[in-house]
Amino acid sequence: MLRKSHGEAALGFPRITGLAALGFAGTIVLANVIMVPAGLPLTGAEIGEVDAFFGTQGDVVAIASALTPAAWLLATLFGAGAVSALRRFERGRDEAWSLLGFTGLALQNVTFAGVIAIRLALTSTTARRSPATGGLWVLHDALFTLNGTFLALALIGLSVAGLRAGLIRPWHGTVGLVSAALLFGSATLTPLVIDHTGPFGLLGLVGWLMWVVWIIAYGVTLIRLNRDRDPAASGPSADRLG
């Protein structure tokens, strides 16, 4: 058997996927840092506000949108790393919580691709004063809010799997499950979130902020993961970091 070089050991798959998680978190935060100060309308905003933003901030929308393909790639890589770390434990228990979480990540990538496509389309329809703008914005808001369902799937699956395998700490799992509850609640109340700007939208916002914290913590966990220690062989607490 060939001995791993120092470089290979330092940059193993768990470390790469942990860095991908940090990159994903950084990318989605950066996209919002670009869009929100520029005046991105809130969910349920009036069409006049939508016209004003997308009609004048096309360059901002284009720059932020250019970040999202990298975010989807990094999210998928992170999910693969989490599944790789957890499946050894789950196979011995006939469980598949991590696969549920990976499915949630994949579905949120697809759904948010629709959100970004609509934003790019809005920069065109507002410039042409097209009557399609109103319908596109409502569709945008619906997809954006309903995406909380898939984020909740990712959070529940990978949090439960991580807790049962001893990979993540209880506080980390709690953050994930609370975030999932908030995002799922926001998705369930989608008609109210779209029709009424205000407190209903805060459910999704708080849940999203907790989702970012959860991703960063998971990324750090994967970076620090010692793949030589098998949770299936050593017990649920074997890989818990000190």
Side-chain angles (χ1 to χ4, degrees), residues 26-51:
T27 302
I28 60 177
V29 169
L30 178 59
N32 280 277
V33 167
I34 292 171
M35 294 279 280
V36 173
L40 176 68
L42 297 175
T43 302
E46 297 295 331
I47 195 62
E49 186 180 348
V50 175
D51 283 334

Side-chain angles (χ1 to χ4, degrees), residues 47-70:
I47 195 62
E49 186 180 348
V50 175
D51 283 334
F53 176 78
F54 287 97
T56 60
Q57 300 295 333
D59 290 343
V60 170
V61 175
I63 292 170
S65 299
L67 297 172
T68 51

Side-chain angles (χ1 to χ4, degrees), residues 6-226:
H6 176 74
E8 289 174 321
L11 201 62
F13 188 66
R15 186 176 294 270
I16 291 171
T17 58
L19 292 172
L22 300 185
F24 173 58
T27 302
I28 60 177
V29 169
L30 178 59
N32 280 277
V33 167
I34 292 171
M35 294 279 280
V36 173
L40 176 68
L42 297 175
T43 302
E46 297 295 331
I47 195 62
E49 186 180 348
V50 175
D51 283 334
F53 176 78
F54 287 97
T56 60
Q57 300 295 333
D59 290 343
V60 170
V61 175
I63 292 170
S65 299
L67 297 172
T68 51
W72 300 326
L73 186 153
L74 293 168
T76 305
L77 188 55
F78 154 60
V83 170
S84 176
L86 294 164
R87 283 302 291 158
R88 292 173 297 157
F89 173 82
E90 289 187 319
R91 286 193 190 98
R93 302 175 65 98
D94 291 327
E95 295 179 349
W97 288 104
S98 66
L99 297 182
L100 176 70
F102 187 82
T103 300
L105 285 173
L107 289 173
Q108 75 90 27
N109 280 355
V110 173
T111 304
F112 216 76
V115 171
I116 297 302
I118 292 171
R119 288 179 180 178
L120 292 171
L122 283 168
T123 63
S124 176
T125 60
T126 53
R128 299 175 183 177
R129 300 188 181 278
S130 170
T133 297
L136 283 174
W137 181 245
V138 173
L139 179 60
H140 168 278
D141 283 354
L143 284 175
F144 185 83
T145 308
L146 289 170
N147 187 49
T149 305
F150 307 125
L151 297 180
L153 279 178
L155 287 156
I156 291 170
L158 294 180
S159 292
V160 172
L163 286 170
R164 290 181 65 75
L167 180 65
I168 64 174
R169 290 188 175 276
W171 72 264
H172 186 188
T174 299
V175 168
L177 294 175
V178 172
S179 175
L182 292 172
L183 288 165
F184 186 78
S186 177
T188 302
L189 298 173
T190 293
L192 294 176
V193 174
I194 293 175
D195 291 339
H196 303 86
T197 56
F200 292 114
L202 291 177
L203 286 176
L205 175 60
V206 175
W208 184 84
L209 291 172
M210 294 180 71
W211 149 257
V212 174
V213 172
W214 178 88
I215 293 166
I216 293 171
Y218 228 119
V220 172
T221 297
L222 290 174
I223 290 170
R224 297 175 61 191
L225 180 63
N226 181 358

